Amino acid sequence: PWVAQNNMPSPPPILEQVRLGSCPDIDALVAALSPGLPMLLRLRETPQDPHWHAEGDVHLHTGMVLESLYQDLKERPVSPDQRLELVLGALLHDIAKPFTTRPMEIQEKIRIAALGHEAKGRSYLVPRMLSWGLPYSSLQSILGLVGDHLYPKQLVKKNKGPEEWYKIARRVDLEL
């Protein structure tokens, strides 16, 4: 378990439970973490483009991502710290969509887009997560997962070479 250092507060209790193997659903995580991350409460009211996300809003999408991650973790266990980093990365990957989601014209059709939500999400999280007293390496990993979660898809879509993969490897644990 973590120990608060330098007068930093202890992380919310649910984080230690996740770290040790608990699989709380999105509603439990939102209830526990929204006092420090109020944007979590707005995920339910944030629509997504039905072309990519037929499930509807960001809250439902995030819940499905968490459920899928929990299934993956049964088949491929990771260290407790990596587990927490993955769960928080999944929970928070679209945290800034309430800030950035808007209708826009794409290829002559009105679509729902959230341009730049990854970087804005990382920026939103930094001061708030610092107050949790997590180890710096975990903070860095979570922020990398949030801020760069679309980058691997773009590397594949655009058939980028190794130099681009090296760039992301310096920012994110590629194993995660």
Side-chain angles (χ1 to χ4, degrees), residues 31-48:
L33 300 177
S34 62
L37 297 172
M39 196 55 56
L40 286 170
L41 298 171
R42 293 190 49 204
L43 298 182
R44 213 181 273 282
E45 68 190 44
T46 305
Q48 299 204 100

Side-chain angles (χ1 to χ4, degrees), residues 129-142:
M129 289 179 62
L130 283 173
S131 71
W132 290 352
L134 298 176
Y136 177 76
S137 60
S138 290
L139 286 171
Q140 187 176 27
S141 179
I142 296 160

Side-chain angles (χ1 to χ4, degrees), residues 52-63:
W52 298 108
H53 295 288
E55 68 276 10
D57 64 52
V58 177
H59 182 90
L60 286 170
H61 164 73
T62 302

Side-chain angles (χ1 to χ4, degrees), residues 8 36-37 92 95-96 99 118-136 138-144 146-147:
M8 290 294 288
L37 297 172
L92 302 172
I95 189 78
F99 292 133
E118 325 81 68
K120 284 185 178 23
R122 180 175 29 217
S123 295
Y124 171 81
L125 291 169
V126 170
R128 290 158 181 87
M129 289 179 62
L130 283 173
S131 71
W132 290 352
L134 298 176
Y136 177 76
S138 290
L139 286 171
Q140 187 176 27
S141 179
I142 296 160
L143 294 171
V146 170

Side-chain angles (χ1 to χ4, degrees), residues 148 150-172 174:
D148 289 305
L150 293 178
Y151 197 60
K153 173 184 157 190
Q154 295 302 318
L155 294 178
V156 172
K157 260 178 86 172
K158 296 178 181 179
N159 198 27
K160 294 292 186 172
E163 65 282 350
E164 292 297 320
W165 287 97
Y166 296 145
K167 282 182 189 177
I168 193 171
R170 288 191 295 270
R171 297 190 308 256
V172 180
L174 292 182

